[in-house]
Amino acid sequence: MNWQGRPRHMYFQDGPAFFLDPGADATVLATYPNKTAAVVVAPYGKGRVGVSGPHPEADASWYADKDLSNPDGVHFDLAYELIEATAGRR
């Protein structure tokens, strides 16, 4: 996927893509290779909601269970970025 302009690998298991209306008040943090939104933060009620098709929270056991590896290594920086963006801290 493309996370804010950088290619990154993340655990994915049949997750959704997000199709936004033109001009939607949302921040796309990541896109799939076909350019559709993969990770989005958007206003909801009096707060915000963050949604992700892939799994930034996946630890090494998720990869091991499926006999997969992550070429970037297993890191949680993208999960933290999603949380921070949803909480409005960035």
Side-chain angles (χ1 to χ4, degrees), residues 50-73:
V51 292
S52 180
H55 292 275
E57 78 282 10
D59 65 20
S61 69
W62 292 41
Y63 292 91
D65 286 347
K66 299 294 183 186
D67 198 27
L68 299 170
S69 64
N70 183 328
D72 297 333

Side-chain angles (χ1 to χ4, degrees), residues 3 11 20 26 28 31 41 45 54 57 59 62 67 77 81:
W3 187 283
Y11 189 92
L20 305 173
V28 176
T31 57
V41 174
E57 78 282 10
D59 65 20
W62 292 41
D67 198 27
D77 59 316
E81 283 188 41

Side-chain angles (χ1 to χ4, degrees), residues 9 15-18 21-22 24 35 40 44 46 52-53 55 57 61 69-70 75 82 90:
H9 293 89
F18 303 99
D21 291 333
K35 308 278 192 245
V40 176
Y44 185 79
K46 294 181 181 181
S52 180
H55 292 275
E57 78 282 10
S61 69
S69 64
N70 183 328
H75 304 284
L82 173 56
R90 50 171 303 221

